[in-house]
Every structure is written in structure tokens, then in C-alpha cells.
Amino acid sequence: MSEASQDQAPRGGRRFGTGEMFDGIAERYDLLNRVISLGLDQGWRRRAVRSLELSPGATVLDLATGTADLAIAIARAHEVKVIGVDPSQGMLGVGRRKVEAAGLAGRVELEVGDAQQLQLGDASVDAISMAFGIRNVPDRARALREMARVTRPGGRIAILELSEPRSGLMGKLARFHIHTVVPYVGGAISGKDEYRYLQDSIARFPPPDEFAELMRGAGLRVLRVEPLTMGVVCLFVATPEGA
């Protein structure tokens, strides 16, 4: 979500993009993702997992882990330890049930935390993933600096984020989906109006080249920026500068 929209208060007093807001939609969050993304979100996560280029025994930090979809995908694909961090207790509660059901409780740990102030030492993790969460961070540059700090030299950082194509037929279709379909379907399924913030947050998120420049300014060397599904989503892959 954009910094501007975070200051708005949805019904019930929860601020957009906060852990409190996501507590309110946690039980329907996975269904909403499947419907709103037309079922494509799991494939996007698999692409992010591959981009981490993990070795057995690695420690991976999954920021904005939510209901642990990406954390589970990483642990299923590789014999690694995953630490999932999120500000929403409600989302983590759903995630813990999913981790237990997947038989991954020994390798996936979920805890409350803030991407802007990680409780981890320098160069303490081998890789970082983050799916559809950087929009919701008030100080994105600070969060990116934290990623650069806690990732070991040569480790990979993979960030997935929604994007709004700016031109062409796909751009028109994507804008219609974001501005009309997402708020209507999200509200209908969840019974809450918080999902209406998506149209604003996606539109306000910087274009891929600008966000890549923000990453560079935070001490990351951007390895590639990969548009997915004709630019509806972007995968940013980086490593700490100097690695």
C-alpha cells in the first residue's frame, strides 16, 4: 500500500496496510488471492523461489510472510530453514495452521516482526523473499537497507510486487481489473471494504525502474527486474552491494 493510503482509516478504525487491517481479513486472505489473481499467484511465487538459488541447509527470511504461502513453497522446494516475519498476528495464526498441516513445523518458524527493524544480526541469513508486501511498508528504503544488512554476501533477495502496466491493451485490461474488479470481488468475498485500498496502492507504487533505483540506493545490487504476466507483477532479484 502507498504511504498516503496508510494514513486513512477503514471501517472499524484499522489503518490500511497495517497488521490490524490484515488481522480482519486473515481467514479469507488465501481465497481472495486466488480469485483476484485469477489463480496465477502461486506460479509467481514459484518463480521467486527459483530465483533464490538456494543450497541445502540455507536460512531464508520471508518478509511479509502473511499466511505463509511463500514460506511453505520455499520449504517444500528446498531442504532449508525458513523464518517468516509479519506484523499481523491473525495472518500468522492462519500460517501456523498451514505449516503444521504441511508437516513443515520443524523447518518453518513464523514470528511477529517489522521489515523496517529486523531483529537479526548482520549477514545472518542466506536469502530473503518478500511477496506483495513492500507496498505496505511505510519506509521502503529503510526496509531495503535492512535486507541488505542481514543478507550474507552473495545471498539472493527476491521481491515480488504487483505492478500496473502503463500502456497498451494489457495496461487497459490491468487497470480495469485493479480499479474495478479487485475492489468489488475483494469486498464481496471478504465482507469487508479493506481490499479497496489495493487499487490505490498498486497505482501509487513506483514503476519497476524507479523501485529498482530505490533498491540500489539502499545498498543492493539489482541483478534483474523480471516482468511477469505481461507486467502485472514484477520480480526484483538483488544481492547486497559489493557481493
Side-chain angles (χ1 to χ4, degrees):
M1 157 166 320
S2 68
E3 285 112 319
S5 59
Q6 289 204 23
D7 292 332
Q8 302 172 25
R11 190 168 54 208
R14 294 184 293 271
R15 288 186 301 117
F16 286 129
T18 64
E20 274 188 306
M21 190 205 83
F22 283 100
D23 286 344
I25 59 176
E27 295 297 332
R28 297 275 181 103
Y29 184 77
D30 289 343
L31 174 62
L32 284 162
N33 276 348
R34 301 298 101 78
V35 173
I36 288 171
S37 72
L38 307 178
L40 297 172
D41 60 306
Q42 297 289 54
W44 298 332
R45 288 184 178 87
R46 287 192 292 270
R47 183 69 67 91
V49 173
R50 290 195 295 272
S51 74
L52 293 173
E53 299 185 0
L54 296 169
S55 299
T59 298
V60 184
L61 176 64
D62 183 40
L63 295 174
T65 196
T67 62
D69 266 357
L70 185 51
I72 290 170
I74 293 168
R76 280 177 169 162
H78 300 280
E79 288 293 326
V80 298
K81 175 184 177 181
V82 184
I83 303 168
V85 172
D86 197 276
S88 168
Q89 287 277 17
M91 297 282 275
L92 291 173
V94 175
R96 289 187 183 105
R97 296 200 301 268
K98 289 166 61 177
V99 168
E100 189 71 32
L104 294 170
R107 292 197 289 117
V108 178
E109 299 176 5
L110 304 182
E111 56 189 53
V112 174
D114 182 352
Q116 300 164 114
Q117 192 171 3
L118 298 173
Q119 303 301 306
L120 292 167
D122 295 355
S124 59
V125 300
D126 298 293
I128 292 180
S129 59
M130 189 176 198
F132 315 119
I134 193 67
R135 287 191 335 277
N136 301 318
V137 178
D139 191 338
R140 296 175 191 137
R142 183 179 178 185
L144 292 168
R145 288 194 297 270
E146 281 288 85
M147 294 183 207
R149 179 182 68 80
V150 304
T151 306
R152 67 164 175 78
R156 293 295 176 94
I157 296 166
I159 299 174
L160 271 175
E161 192 49 84
L162 295 165
S163 181
E164 185 173 307
R166 299 301 201 258
S167 61
L169 176 62
M170 188 61 200
K172 292 179 181 178
L173 291 173
R175 285 192 294 276
F176 174 78
H177 184 73
I178 291 164
H179 293 284
T180 304
V181 177
V182 166
Y184 177 79
V185 174
I189 293 175
S190 68
K192 298 178 182 292
D193 61 359
E194 283 90 342
Y195 261 78
R196 294 183 181 276
Y197 87 86
L198 275 175
Q199 59 187 13
D200 180 59
S201 68
I202 298 168
R204 288 177 177 270
F205 191 72
D209 56 341
E210 290 184 19
F211 184 68
E213 192 58 35
L214 184 65
M215 295 176 74
R216 294 184 186 99
L220 296 170
R221 179 161 60 91
V222 178
L223 302 176
R224 67 178 185 274
V225 177
E226 186 177 349
L228 306 176
T229 315
M230 293 176 283
V232 172
V233 168
C234 250
L235 171 62
F236 302 86
V237 183
T239 192
E241 190 62 67

